[in-house]
Structures are given as structure tokens and as C-alpha cells.
Amino acid sequence: MAAATAAQAQATTPDGFGYDGEVHALAYQPDGKVVVGGKFGSYNGNEAASDCILRLNRDGTLDKTFNYRALEFRSGASGFDSYGLVKALALQPDGKILVGGYWLNYNNGMGPEPPSGLMRLNPDGSLDKSFNLKGEENLTSFGGRVNALALQPDGKIVVGTQHGDGSENNLVRLNPDGSLDRTFAAPSEYASIKGFARAEYSGGKQQADVNALLLQPDGKILVAGNFDSYNGDQGISRCAMRLNRDGTIDKTFSYRPSRKEDPVPQKQDVLALALQPDGKILIGGIFVTFNAIQVIYGETPKMPHGVMRLLPDGSRDESFNPNGTGTNAGVAALALQPDGRVLVGGGVRSYNGDDDTPDQVFRLLPNGTLDKSFNYRGAGPNEAVQVLVRRPNGKIVIGGGFSKYNGAKIPAGMLELNADGSAAPLATGLAQPDPDVAVQEAYGKKIEAGFAKLDQAYGIAGVKFETPASAISNKTLAQDTRDTKLYTADDRLAVGPVQASAAYIFYKDRLREVRLRVPAEKGPQLLEALQKAYGPGLPGNKSVTWDSEKVHLNYSYDPAEDKYANAVLWSNALSKEMTKDMRADQQAFKKNNTPAN
């Protein structure tokens, strides 16, 4: 573990800057903006930032044209739910964004239900409704989290997932519209394709994951993860193998029909891939064996741990770090420089036994030895690096859950490095406060103050909602309340009690907005109640947007597609008042915090 030096220390960063979680995926657009994915709920203290996925401008400021909900920061309406995790991103030539990971809903469930594990967003961050929105058998469920995406030149998408055990497919290819490409690795009957699996180990069924995908220039597909068979064939190269363009096994890549080794050990996992121009392949992860040759710690190694290079045929390139022990921990990310040097990120604190190796991110020379011109003896990030990208200008962007670099506080979760591994000067957006944050803090206090004066009945524009005060959590949301009731203006019970999720949003001690979600079978009942409350002027359609002088209503439900019926009601007058007040405060904040020329 390397120590920080005074010369490597950076200026202290204020608390609350950066991400309040972890960054796992980065996708740079041609205009220099970057889409960021991971598990987080705010950026630079701004709770209106889209949760788990957002976009930054070139200067590091939050791009508020991307799924930004400035006036809904208290309701969690933007981005993914609290279970959400974005693991993979792919940018299409038309600017649309493929997103892989795990989630339950997007934008608080308001609108169509997104496909599970993989969705496509429009360039503004809204859900692309043309992409597999209704879903297809064996596609929207995926059996678990989507870990890896590879976009082909023809627009087709290769998808790798977690939690495969041979009972369901953990590697598929999709057509550009999100439908399943049934020409991919298809025998006479597609249902017999089971993807990757792992044999029993220590008496139990093992999880087989696909962690990384990489397209070769010839169209062949490199696949990395933890598996020992593909479609029942155990002759493949375990944990790192190659497929032909049609998804069949490339038997020129370390294929042995009579392979008899033991099942893949529990800690064997390839997490990262990089392809050299000469066709050699860099792999990173947690290695215990390779072709039945085991790592031996404390002795002359038979093979290095953590990162190695393969020849184009899948055999080990023994000229790469030939006498080294490799890393002391797992490697999660790799990036190749034009000069052949290799950037390595993960949880590593030592390489080839050298404890002065920079922690978590370091660089190798083309022969696999440590490059001591890159932040040597620097402490590096204080937590593991999950993703790294080398930019065309030579700078390196790293993402993870760290908050310090070389011992100095930095904007949490994401950092740009110079080519020598020193921290680049803080981007403008990471060094200045977001004016929306101060406004959110002030208005958050006003909203919270309303709860101290509330009883169990809340009214909005002639309609009352009732739910037990004890059901309200996080001051805005009552999850899965079993006895939510909706009354008409004359106190007649219109619907309830029903199982519902209800959100109550206040401003200046008054109820500004109500959000209701009920199971699909209760959808007609909810619409009937709203019609009773607001009269015959409210249409009886499956999707309704309706305005009166006092209230705005949005209702959506399609029994053929949706599991829930959603209704959002807000007071037009109070919303206009809040919007006007917030904008005035934002302008005042900017005026008071803009340096004079």
C-alpha cells in the first residue's frame, strides 16, 4: 500500500461534492458530454439529479436537459428506484442510450413500465417507448442483472447477464428494436439454448455470470465471466471464451473437446477485457487457475494473478509479466493506450509484490511490468475503481466509490487524471455549488414544516385523501399502505380502502401534489373514483391528462401492459406559486454568488 506525499496532495474539496454512491459505467458522447451510471441519488448535493443515471456537461456541471426534475426533488421522481444499479451503458450513433443493470421502475413508475434489466433512453433521458416496451418472453426478465452490452455495427445488441445457471439464457442478442434475435446460436429449437453454466462445486449449483463483452473487428465476440460450459459444451475456454458472429462456439480459441478439469473454483471470475491491435487479448479479474495451472503465492509463480494477456488463439502469452506474481486482489477495469501501455483499475494494493504500486489504479508497460512513471508510491483512490476510460486527449477518467485520491479529499465517485496519474485540476462543475441545491435545502425545510401541522386527512382541490400518519416514511412517501382512502368533496367515500402506494408532497404547509399507485385490477375503481370527484368532464380513457382551473390530473393504465394504475394530481395554483418562488430564489442565488467582472 503506497503512501501519499506532500507533492501529490491536492486542494481540499468541500463536503457533499461528487456522487453520494458509486459510479460503475461511463459513456462519452461525441459532443464531450458524458453519461454516468451507477448507484447514487444526488450529484454535488443536488437531489434533483437523475438517480443512478445522469449526464454531465464538458465542464463537469450537471446537464439539466437530461431527465432533470428540478421541482420534484422531494418525491424521487427522476431516474431509477432505490434498488436500482446501472452496470453497463452503450451509446448508439443516433444519440440514444442503452442502459443495463437492475431496477424495479424508472422515474418513480410514472409512465409505461420499462423492460427489466435493459432499456433504451432517448437523448434527453426519457424512456424510448419503441424499444421492447411491452417485452418478450425470456427477454424482459433476463434471470438477473444485465452486466455487459456490446453494440454491433448493424445495430444489434449483445447482452450479458448475471445469475445464469443453465436453466435460462444469460447471453442473448437483440434486434435494434429490442426484440430477440433468434438467429443467434440457434439450433433447430431456440428454447434449447441455455447459455453459460457452471458445474456443481462443493455440492451446490453454481451461478454463471457474463461480466464483460468485446466485439473484435472481424465480428467475433469475446465473452468473460465465470462459467465452464456453453450450451452444454464443456470444451470451451473457461471464464474467457470467444464466439463466432452467429453465436456459435469459436473452436479456434482454446477449445478442447476432452477437457476434464475440475469445475471452475468459486473465486474464479474474469471481469474485464481489452483487445490489442495485434489481436492479443488482455483479461482482468480474479484468477485461481488458467488451463489447470494454478497460481502459487509466495513461490515462483506458474502464472500471474489478476491480469494477463492471451494470444489470439486463447493460449496464455508468456511474454507478458513472465516472472511476476501479478496483483494481490481483483481487477475490475482495463484500458489500452495507443503506446501499448495498459491501465488497470480495481481493488489492487500491490503488483508483483511491490507495495509502492499506486492503490486501486496503476499502469503497466507493454511487457506487463509496472510502469513506475504513473503515480508511483501514490496512495491512489481510497476505494476500488469500478470503471476507467482513457480520453482522446490522453487523460484518464476513473469511477467508483472513492472520496480521496493520494490522501486528499476529491469529488466523490469520479475523477479525471493526467497522463502521469496525477489528479487533474478540478473541473468547473466540481468546484462550484449548484444553485438548485441551496434552493432545494430552503424549500425542503418549508415542505417538511408542513408535516408537523397535519392530521390524517389531506385535501387538494376538492378531494381528500386519507392514510395513517404512521404509514408516511421519508416525509413524502407511504409505501404499500393497505388502507388508503379517496373521498369526494362532500365526504363520500369514492374508493378504498385499497392497497396502494401514496406520495404526499407539500409546500408552505399545504398539500401541493398527490401520487397514487394501485394494482392493475383496481385501476378501473381508481378512475371511477376520480370521475366521481371531478365530474363527467373527466374522460374514461386508459390514459388521461386533464386540467381544470384548480387541478391537473394524469392517469395511466393499460391492462394489457401495466401491472399498476397510476394517478398524479396537483394543485395548479400552488404549483405555479412554488415554481415562481423557486425560480425567483434561483435567480437571487445566482446573482449573489456570481463573481463581479
Side-chain angles (χ1 to χ4, degrees), residues 1-5 8 328 347-351 353-362 370 374-382 405-408:
M1 177 178 177
T5 67
Q8 291 167 327
N328 72 322
V348 178
R349 295 178 180 270
S350 174
Y351 185 73
D354 188 344
D355 290 339
D356 286 331
T357 301
D359 291 351
Q360 325 294 6
V361 60
F362 57 96
L370 185 65
F374 185 90
N375 196 35
Y376 189 61
R377 295 194 174 95
N382 62 326
Y405 188 77
N406 285 348

Side-chain angles (χ1 to χ4, degrees), residues 22-24 271-272 284-286 305-307 327-335 342-351 357-363 374 379-389 396-402 405 417:
E22 294 187 349
V23 171
H24 286 255
L271 301 170
I286 303 169
H305 177 261
V307 58
T327 65
N328 72 322
V331 169
L334 296 170
V342 184
L343 294 159
V344 183
V348 178
R349 295 178 180 270
S350 174
Y351 185 73
T357 301
D359 291 351
Q360 325 294 6
V361 60
F362 57 96
R363 189 168 62 196
F374 185 90
N382 62 326
E383 296 290 344
V385 169
Q386 302 291 341
V387 59
L388 62 84
V389 175
I396 303 141
V397 180
I398 59 175
F402 45 79
Y405 188 77
L417 304 178

Side-chain angles (χ1 to χ4, degrees), residues 135 161 171 198 233 241 282 306 354 369 522 548 566 587 593:
T161 75
L171 183 75
R198 294 179 69 183
D233 191 332
M241 58 94 69
L282 293 154
D354 188 344
T369 58
K522 294 289 185 180
S548 70
N566 300 298
Q587 291 173 357
N593 289 273

Side-chain angles (χ1 to χ4, degrees), residues 189-214:
E189 189 171 335
Y190 186 85
S192 65
I193 289 290
K194 298 301 181 186
F196 294 97
R198 294 179 69 183
E200 292 185 2
Y201 183 82
S202 298
K205 196 80 166 181
Q206 295 302 298
Q207 174 179 304
D209 301 339
V210 173
N211 296 322
L213 297 167
L214 197 154

Side-chain angles (χ1 to χ4, degrees), residues 119-140:
M119 66 167 66
R120 189 167 64 193
L121 301 180
N122 294 312
D124 64 357
S126 60
L127 184 65
D128 180 3
K129 299 178 182 179
S130 69
F131 185 83
N132 188 41
L133 194 58
K134 185 175 180 180
E136 183 174 339
E137 184 180 1
N138 296 327
L139 181 56
T140 57

